Amino acid sequence: MNRQIRLAAHPDGMVRDSDFEHVVAPVPEPDEGEALVRNLYLSIDPAIRGWMNGADTYVPGIHVGDVMRSAGIGEVVESRNPRYNPGDRVLGFVGWQDWSIVDSEERSVEVIPPVDPATAFLSVYGVTGVTAYFGMLDVAQPQPGEMVVVSGAAGAVGSVAGQIAKIRGCDVVGTAGSDAKCAWITDELGFDAAINYKTEDLGAALSRTCPEGIDVYFDNVGGEMLDLVLERINNRARIALCGSISQYNATKLPPGPRNLVQLIPKRGRMEGFIVLDYLPRFLEAILQLGEWVAAGKLKYAEEIVDGLDRAPGALQRLFTGDHTGKLIVRVGGA
Amino acid sequence: MNRQIRLAAHPDGMVRDSDFEHVVAPVPEPDEGEALVRNLYLSIDPAIRGWMNGADTYVPGIHVGDVMRSAGIGEVVESRNPRYNPGDRVLGFVGWQDWSIVDSEERSVEVIPPVDPATAFLSVYGVTGVTAYFGMLDVAQPQPGEMVVVSGAAGAVGSVAGQIAKIRGCDVVGTAGSDAKCAWITDELGFDAAINYKTEDLGAALSRTCPEGIDVYFDNVGGEMLDLVLERINNRARIALCGSISQYNATKLPPGPRNLVQLIPKRGRMEGFIVLDYLPRFLEAILQLGEWVAAGKLKYAEEIVDGLDRAPGALQRLFTGDHTGKLIVRVGGA
């Protein structure tokens, strides 16, 4: 049988259990040109929350009754498509279910090499690692000696983004939501400083850790933090807008940053980006990230939650911030 | 004698007459390396309001007791500097006074050719025209067929910026504060549409005039207008932040645009700029603007106010928006 988690309702504010419907469907059979994939791991990403609103953005919205869209890794079990062979590991939008049907026309999945652990293709070599790579290097473009601030720095994207800036020779300050996470990003990942945004005065802490101002801000959270950074930017500052997780569950958009006007006298640039635009260059990023991991310059963390049924809870945890690194669901787990 | 208008107090909100002190000083005498300039015309610009706050930004703040800083045009009367000859017209920060002392070390002024009218070097060939040129072409980079919105479109910068986008083959919508100004930018300047922001529902009017969304926004006003544009941007939209005149007299910064997060799914870029950074390229801009003016493709308006004593009132009028094109004070006028 094929357990599926479907969208039961577009969330009103924070995601709730009642927004999901757990159903059991027959295992689908592949037609000519298709393959049957047993799903192994699901990538739990903040972007899913946006898709759940139902509006079409850079990808179609998820509608009530749809299987929840999610990137993930699976194994080809049966194939009527020459692109896929049984035993192949594939990466793509497999959805929150035990089994998926894939084809090559939509390029819905790609075969990945048998790296161990396979989950690295959902974290450091996955969308989050590649997001950090292009967001930092292509959009923010940090130069040696510059002051870089990363919010959500203990998350899957922020932790990699900050380390890339360190590799580029920058001073890096990260924000995170617990002392343990702050200790992790400084002691294990090599950030120069960390700010616990839940216990510290964020503005004062930014002034203390960035006494000469901020050249680059890699923003994963939006909200007040963005405003406080804008107040402290240097000339020619770059702000890469990766996400605004502080607002994803807002029922009404909160006001924007008062200090946005600072972009004028400081000649600042603020730019949003979507990692899917970089698909043709994913291999470039993965190879470089792999080299840094092999050289011990880049570390990453994964937290694996066992069992498809726990995917909704894992998504909720993204917004309470009680995880470190990449949140992944093991489909077949307990 | 040398009439001078000095800063009497940093303004609290809207500029008031009491923020200025009118004094009479002796005509200064040039030292070796200096020249004496009789000021002819003063450029009245929104940026002056920011300088009056006293904080150092991209230029030093104006302090209480300082002669008001202002670009302007003068004529060299006496010179002890080989760069300047009596009779030369010069352009630079001559200040709100009858006479200025200039030298070549600070490059405080540049000799300009004897173009008629000389005031064109304060408008279309001056800081405002050049601001429009680089802001539109370098920062916003409109492509043929794109939808371009310009706020403050009857002003000295906006009117030129919109015409440059037309020359580049774009559809251009401008906002202005009266029906007469709206008629001017469509009937005389060739904008495709105009919106009277004082009488129309701005959001509805943007949706009506830009039914397929906005690719480029040249922002002179900030505030609500920026928010409404962000709500309607297309993929890869560019927002050139030239000014935010709606906020220059605010005593407390208002909240920023709620729709700033649209920059992420739309991969938008928002960038501030300061025309002084383009000083080495001013000649490029002036030559191109001159070619367009000569070919009848680019029109400009100037409103000349007579008399140095009326400079404070002219500055106030920038914010009430009852002028069209470039506001200039003729120093020696009535």
Side-chain angles (χ1 to χ4, degrees):
Chain A
M1 303 303 283
N2 187 23
R3 293 177 300 164
Q4 296 183 319
I5 301 179
R6 298 181 183 173
L7 185 68
H10 298 296
D12 177 25
M14 182 64 186
V15 180
R16 286 175 300 186
D17 293 341
S18 57
D19 297 330
F20 304 95
E21 183 187 15
H22 296 247
V23 303
V24 177
V27 176
E29 295 194 8
D31 279 339
E32 188 59 36
E34 295 181 338
L36 176 65
V37 169
R38 180 202 303 271
N39 297 332
L40 302 175
Y41 296 102
L42 302 175
S43 177
I44 305 300
D45 297 296
I48 296 173
R49 175 63 186 83
W51 305 337
M52 292 174 75
N53 290 332
D56 296 341
T57 56
Y58 58 98
V59 293
I62 303 176
H63 301 292
V64 170
D66 289 349
V67 174
M68 287 289 296
R69 182 190 301 120
S70 176
I73 289 172
E75 185 177 295
V76 175
V77 170
E78 183 186 343
S79 178
R80 299 177 66 186
N81 183 318
R83 265 176 62 88
Y84 308 114
N85 295 305
D88 281 353
R89 290 271 165 104
V90 293
L91 169 69
F93 284 128
V94 300
W96 287 8
Q97 53 190 345
D98 286 312
W99 300 89
S100 307
I101 291 289
V102 302
D103 59 37
S104 50
E105 266 193 69
E106 291 185 11
R107 308 280 294 208
S108 53
V109 297
E110 296 281 346
V111 176
I112 56 173
V115 167
D116 184 38
T119 49
F121 271 93
L122 296 181
S123 59
V124 67
Y125 308 138
V127 163
T128 45
V130 174
T131 295
Y133 181 88
F134 287 114
M136 186 57 83
L137 296 180
D138 249 55
V139 181
Q141 301 180 8
Q143 304 302 312
E146 285 193 326
M147 186 79 238
V148 175
V149 173
V150 177
S151 57
V157 174
S159 59
V160 175
Q163 291 177 87
I164 291 172
K166 283 305 300 176
I167 290 169
R168 276 284 181 269
C170 303
D171 290 319
V172 182
V173 172
T175 62
S178 76
D179 290 343
K181 292 195 222 181
C182 286
W184 181 62
I185 65 174
T186 51
D187 302 351
E188 297 293 319
L189 305 187
F191 282 55
D192 297 284
I195 299 169
N196 181 337
Y197 71 87
K198 288 188 178 168
T199 60
E200 297 184 63
D201 176 327
L202 200 45
L206 283 170
S207 293
R208 188 187 70 242
T209 55
C210 309
E212 290 171 30
I214 297 165
D215 300 299
V216 164
Y217 178 42
F218 191 105
D219 186 14
N220 292 301
V221 306
E224 184 204 7
M225 172 80 185
L226 175 57
D227 213 352
L228 293 168
V229 167
L230 280 163
E231 205 175 341
R232 291 164 175 82
I233 56 173
N234 290 333
N235 280 341
R236 304 275 176 204
R238 287 129 279 149
I239 297 178
L241 296 180
C242 178
S244 61
I245 200 167
S246 70
Q247 300 174 21
Y248 288 173
N249 291 293
T251 50
K252 186 167 182 295
L253 279 176
R258 292 175 192 277
N259 293 297
L260 188 67
V261 288
Q262 284 300 319
L263 291 178
I264 303 178
K266 298 299 176 62
R267 304 88 157 161
R269 171 167 60 87
M270 176 180 283
E271 192 160 352
F273 70 100
I274 295 291
V275 72
L276 294 178
D277 293 337
Y278 290 93
L279 269 180
R281 292 176 59 194
F282 264 42
L283 190 61
E284 165 197 336
I286 292 169
L287 291 174
Q288 178 63 76
L289 292 164
E291 190 181 309
W292 286 331
V293 169
K297 293 179 181 173
L298 180 61
K299 296 175 183 171
Y300 65 99
E302 297 174 345
E303 181 174 339
I304 297 182
V305 174
D306 266 329
L308 174 64
D309 290 347
R310 294 170 67 192
L315 183 62
Q316 289 162 14
R317 285 181 55 200
L318 277 185
F319 303 105
T320 54
D322 72 342
H323 69 292
T324 297
K326 179 73 188 185
L327 259 182
I328 291 170
V329 166
R330 176 154 44 208
V331 178
Chain B
M1 301 304 282
N2 188 22
R3 292 177 301 163
Q4 297 183 317
I5 302 179
R6 299 181 183 173
L7 186 68
H10 298 296
D12 178 25
M14 182 64 186
V15 180
R16 287 176 297 187
D17 292 341
S18 57
D19 298 329
F20 304 95
E21 182 188 16
H22 297 247
V23 302
V24 177
V27 176
E29 295 193 11
D31 279 338
E32 187 58 38
E34 294 181 337
L36 176 66
V37 170
R38 181 202 303 271
N39 297 332
L40 302 174
Y41 297 102
L42 302 175
S43 176
I44 305 300
D45 297 296
I48 296 173
R49 175 63 186 84
W51 306 337
M52 291 174 76
N53 291 330
D56 295 340
T57 57
Y58 58 97
V59 290
I62 303 175
H63 302 292
V64 170
D66 290 348
V67 174
M68 287 290 295
R69 184 191 300 119
S70 177
I73 289 173
E75 185 177 294
V76 176
V77 171
E78 181 186 345
S79 179
R80 300 178 65 186
N81 184 317
R83 265 175 64 87
Y84 309 113
N85 295 306
D88 281 353
R89 289 270 166 105
V90 293
L91 169 68
F93 284 127
V94 299
W96 287 8
Q97 54 190 344
D98 285 311
W99 299 89
S100 306
I101 290 289
V102 303
D103 60 38
S104 49
E105 267 194 67
E106 291 184 12
R107 307 280 291 205
S108 52
V109 296
E110 297 280 347
V111 176
I112 55 173
V115 168
D116 184 39
T119 50
F121 271 93
L122 297 181
S123 60
V124 66
Y125 308 138
V127 163
T128 47
V130 174
T131 294
Y133 181 89
F134 288 114
M136 186 57 83
L137 296 180
D138 247 56
V139 181
Q141 300 180 5
Q143 305 302 312
E146 286 193 326
M147 186 77 236
V148 175
V149 173
V150 177
S151 58
V157 174
S159 59
V160 175
Q163 291 178 87
I164 292 174
K166 284 304 300 174
I167 290 170
R168 277 282 181 269
C170 302
D171 291 320
V172 182
V173 173
T175 62
S178 76
D179 290 343
K181 293 194 220 181
C182 286
W184 181 61
I185 65 174
T186 52
D187 302 351
E188 297 293 320
L189 306 188
F191 282 54
D192 297 283
I195 300 169
N196 181 338
Y197 72 88
K198 288 188 178 168
T199 59
E200 298 186 62
D201 176 328
L202 200 45
L206 283 170
S207 294
R208 186 187 73 243
T209 54
C210 310
E212 291 171 29
I214 296 165
D215 299 300
V216 164
Y217 178 42
F218 191 105
D219 187 14
N220 292 303
V221 306
E224 184 203 8
M225 172 81 186
L226 176 57
D227 211 353
L228 293 167
V229 168
L230 280 163
E231 204 175 343
R232 291 163 174 83
I233 55 172
N234 289 333
N235 281 341
R236 305 275 175 202
R238 286 130 280 147
I239 297 177
L241 297 179
C242 178
S244 60
I245 199 168
S246 70
Q247 298 173 24
Y248 289 172
N249 291 293
T251 49
K252 187 168 181 290
L253 279 176
R258 292 174 192 278
N259 293 297
L260 187 68
V261 289
Q262 285 298 320
L263 291 178
I264 303 179
K266 298 299 175 63
R267 303 91 156 160
R269 171 167 61 88
M270 175 180 285
E271 193 162 350
F273 69 100
I274 295 290
V275 73
L276 293 180
D277 294 338
Y278 291 93
L279 268 180
R281 293 177 58 196
F282 265 42
L283 190 61
E284 165 197 336
I286 292 169
L287 291 174
Q288 178 62 78
L289 291 163
E291 190 181 310
W292 286 330
V293 169
K297 293 179 179 174
L298 180 61
K299 296 175 183 170
Y300 64 98
E302 297 173 346
E303 181 174 341
I304 297 183
V305 174
D306 266 328
L308 174 64
D309 289 347
R310 292 170 69 191
L315 182 63
Q316 289 161 11
R317 284 180 57 200
L318 277 185
F319 304 105
T320 55
D322 73 341
H323 69 293
T324 296
K326 178 72 188 186
L327 260 181
I328 292 170
V329 167
R330 176 155 44 207
V331 177

